[in-house]
């Protein structure tokens, strides 16, 4: 694949999916390509360039995790030490089990925390106050028992970094990781030195071709989970650290630490997101040889994949919700060119619907036993009949139509934006067969009892 071919491919896919601007960077292991297309804003935007900063969203977590592993390698953090050993906020938590939470559990989303805790003051910047607020919450699940994707956990890791380094998460990330990799820092809450042009997010509604600018909202206390910005080329630089190809890689993150960070963790069944989860990275493919992370945040999308054995890597940044639809088509094209990048297939039908009961793990003929409310902290997902189908909603305005598949799996297709559907599943209690848990895009929500089944 040459530069012109890559540029034409990205431009074509961006037009097809109404994406105003995007960047694609590819490292085949022997050569590097980096191309950009479109504009930073659909109205009066400037051209996207190689160095334009895009919001990384949750790909930020891969950087935070790498920083934590660096500090662990230096002996500043014990991955299996109780969080309470370092953070006074967790010495007397509301849920006594929370005192024993570890950095390892936070890294691989098995800490049992609520997913998206926010403080009452959206402008609050203190990670200390954020951590104290989390310590006052009940746990969602028993720590170390199951996977539930949690921004909350990564914000706590940012607080841990702050405590052990004596500086802010942003400064530590810049000094210990970004700077040595030659990446110029840019954060959603305050630019790094010199600043960079930042692409704005856009939403595309189903059936429409217009990308509408949307304001980007991320609480400052969520910075360690999603507050980093950068280019697709920057992501390749980060991937080269993990493949060992970056200059000074063994000093920044040695082979043993890289291997530890790339190993799937027990209890981290990341259904709905990936084929496995490590200390901060997702694993993809039947053999799990590709690693990376995905990110979405208010009209921006980001995808990173890398293959440690070959050194290959692919990074995509976009400024539209439809970037999640562009990504799988891009990968399909790359595979035809010989770069077989693995991805998570999500929810797909496996066989015709069954009439067996939920206890048997099959899709019921009557979905009524699935209807109800499922909670993850303050977020309550409602599952109700809607016309001839099933509708999922939450207080934030999420509306999605569910399509049930074999094994109580489902695909949730949003009605408000043309993003790729979310995979999920209903999970029955092994003892009773009653559905008591719903997993949506990696997040777990427990069944609220005594809730009616009124139609939406």
């Amino acid at each position: 694949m040459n530069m012109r071919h890559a540029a034409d491919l990205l431009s074509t896919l961006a037009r097809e999916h109404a994406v105003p601007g995007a960047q694609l960077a590819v490292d085949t292991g022997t050569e590097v390509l980096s191309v950009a297309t479109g504009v930073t804003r659909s109205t009066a935007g400037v051209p996207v360039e190689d160095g334009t900063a895009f919001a990384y969203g949750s790909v930020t977590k891969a950087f935070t995790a790498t920083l934590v592993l660096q500090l662990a390698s230096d002996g500043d953090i014990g991955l299996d030490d109780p969080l309470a050993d370092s953070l006074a906020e967790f010495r007397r938590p509301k849920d006594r089990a929370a005192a024993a939470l570890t950095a390892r559990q936070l890294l691989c989303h098995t800490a049992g925390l609520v997913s998206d805790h926010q403080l009452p003051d959206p402008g609050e910047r203190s990670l200390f106050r954020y951590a104290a607020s989390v310590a006052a919450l009940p746990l969602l699940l028993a720590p170390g028992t199951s996977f539930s994707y949690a921004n909350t956990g990564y914000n706590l890791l940012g607080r841990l970094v702050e405590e052990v380094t004596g500086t802010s998460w942003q400064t530590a990330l810049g000094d210990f990781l970004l700077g040595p990799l030659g990446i110029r820092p840019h954060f959603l809450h305050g630019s790094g030195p010199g600043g960079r042009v930042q692409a704005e997010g856009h939403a595309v509604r189903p059936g429409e071709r217009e990308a509408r600018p949307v304001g980007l909202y991320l609480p400052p206390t969520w910075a360690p989970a999603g507050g980093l910005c950068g280019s697709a080329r920057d992501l390749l630089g980060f991937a080269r650290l993990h493949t060992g190809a970056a200059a000074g890689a063994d000093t920044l993150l040695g082979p043993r630490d890289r291997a530890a960070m790339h190993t799937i963790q027990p209890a981290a069944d990341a259904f709905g997101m990936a084929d496995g989860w490590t200390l901060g990275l997702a694993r993809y493919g039947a053999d799990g040889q590709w690693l990376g992370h995905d990110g979405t945040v208010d009209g921006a999308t980001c995808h990173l994949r890398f293959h440690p054995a070959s050194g290959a890597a692919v990074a995509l940044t976009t400024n539209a919700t439809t970037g999640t639809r562009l990504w799988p088509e891009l990968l399909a094209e790359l595979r035809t060119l010989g770069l077989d990048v693995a991805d998570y297939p999500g929810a797909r039908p496996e066989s015709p619907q069954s009439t067996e009961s939920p206890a048997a793990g099959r899709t019921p003929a009557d979905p009524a036993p699935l209807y109800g409310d499922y909670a993850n902290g303050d977020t309550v997902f409602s599952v109700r009949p809607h016309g001839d189908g099933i509708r999922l909603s939450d207080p934030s305005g999420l509306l999605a139509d569910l399509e049930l598949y074999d094994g109580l799996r489902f695909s949730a297709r949003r009605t408000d934006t043309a993003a790729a559907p979310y995979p999920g599943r209903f999970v029955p209690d092994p003892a009773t067969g009653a559905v008591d848990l719903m997993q949506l895009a990696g997040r777990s929500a427990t069944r609220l009892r005594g809730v009616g089944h009124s139609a939406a």
Side-chain angles (χ1 to χ4, degrees):
M1 180 172 61
N2 59 36
M3 192 75 74
R4 180 178 292 278
H5 189 168
D8 290 345
L9 172 60
L10 184 62
S11 296
T12 298
L13 291 175
R15 285 195 302 271
E16 289 177 356
H17 292 281
V19 172
Q23 297 166 326
L24 168 64
V26 178
D27 187 342
T28 66
T30 58
E31 63 175 336
V32 175
L33 301 173
S34 180
V35 295
T37 189
V39 292
T40 58
R41 180 182 171 91
S42 60
T43 57
V46 299
V48 173
E49 298 179 343
D50 191 60
T52 300
F54 283 71
Y56 283 166
S58 285
V59 176
T60 301
K61 294 181 178 69
F63 287 80
T64 295
T66 302
L67 174 60
V68 169
L69 264 291
Q70 287 180 302
L71 295 171
S73 179
D74 290 340
D76 297 318
I77 290 176
L79 295 182
D80 297 305
D81 292 345
L83 205 60
D85 286 357
S86 298
L87 301 185
E89 306 94 286
F90 275 84
R91 287 175 189 158
R92 292 186 178 179
K94 177 175 182 178
D95 193 318
R96 293 178 63 183
L101 293 179
T102 68
R104 184 183 300 276
Q105 292 168 344
L106 299 178
L107 286 165
C108 63
H109 301 286
T110 61
L113 296 167
V114 299
S115 294
D116 304 310
H117 179 62
Q118 297 186 44
L119 295 176
D121 179 2
E124 175 64 66
R125 290 178 174 267
S126 169
L127 287 176
F128 173 84
R129 281 191 278 274
Y130 182 89
S133 179
V134 174
L137 299 173
L139 292 175
L140 176 71
L141 301 165
T145 60
S146 60
F147 181 95
S148 185
Y149 188 82
N151 286 304
T152 304
Y154 271 75
N155 299 330
L156 291 182
L157 287 171
R159 166 69 184 122
L160 184 60
V161 167
E162 180 181 81
E163 180 67 22
V164 302
T165 64
T167 188
S168 69
W169 166 81
Q170 288 91 338
T171 298
L173 191 70
D175 289 349
F176 301 147
L177 183 59
L178 301 181
L181 289 175
I183 298 173
R184 186 154 50 102
H186 186 93
F187 301 98
L188 289 178
H189 306 99
S191 300
R196 296 170 69 173
V197 174
Q198 182 178 320
E200 299 186 39
H202 299 77
V204 182
R205 293 184 59 83
E208 294 187 2
R209 297 288 306 161
E210 182 181 1
R212 305 171 187 269
V214 293
L216 197 156
Y217 170 73
L218 188 84
T221 50
W222 280 38
L228 183 63
C229 304
S231 67
R233 181 179 280 275
D234 290 337
L235 290 173
L236 286 194
F238 173 73
R240 286 173 64 82
L241 168 62
H242 279 274
T243 63
D250 289 351
T251 300
L252 289 174
L253 192 69
R256 289 181 59 184
D257 296 311
R258 294 198 298 270
M261 192 171 175
H262 298 171
T263 301
I264 291 179
Q265 296 296 295
D269 176 5
F271 177 86
M273 296 192 73
D275 294 295
W277 214 270
T278 75
L279 296 177
L281 294 164
R283 292 196 71 122
Y284 301 95
D287 58 2
Q289 296 305 304
W290 285 85
L291 294 102
H293 213 295
D294 296 328
T296 59
V297 56
D298 290 338
T301 72
C302 181
H303 301 274
L304 172 65
R305 300 288 184 273
F306 59 88
H307 191 268
S310 69
V314 176
L316 173 73
T317 60
T318 84
N319 61 355
T321 53
T322 43
T324 57
R325 291 183 174 275
L326 188 159
W327 172 246
E329 292 191 19
L330 171 66
L331 293 190
E333 292 291 336
L334 292 179
R335 291 180 190 122
T336 67
L337 298 171
L339 190 58
D340 193 14
V341 185
D343 198 29
Y344 183 67
R348 292 180 179 174
E350 296 178 356
S351 67
Q353 290 193 346
S354 169
T355 58
E356 296 181 39
S357 69
R362 297 288 185 177
T363 303
D366 178 11
L370 308 179
Y371 301 152
D373 290 348
Y374 301 80
N376 181 307
D378 294 334
T379 301
V380 178
F381 299 98
S382 295
V383 179
R384 299 287 190 271
H386 181 79
D388 295 330
I390 304 174
R391 175 63 58 85
L392 172 74
S393 63
D394 74 11
S396 73
L398 169 70
L399 288 175
D401 291 323
L402 299 193
E403 181 180 357
L404 289 172
Y405 295 137
D406 192 24
L408 294 178
R409 299 180 181 186
F410 62 80
S411 179
R413 190 175 301 277
R414 296 188 64 156
T415 64
D416 61 332
T417 182
Y422 302 137
R425 66 181 174 184
F426 295 98
V427 182
D429 184 318
T432 66
V435 170
D436 62 355
L437 189 75
M438 180 184 73
Q439 293 174 319
L440 175 67
R443 290 167 169 82
S444 294
T446 56
R447 183 76 170 264
L448 297 179
R449 298 300 176 185
V451 177
H453 298 156
S454 59

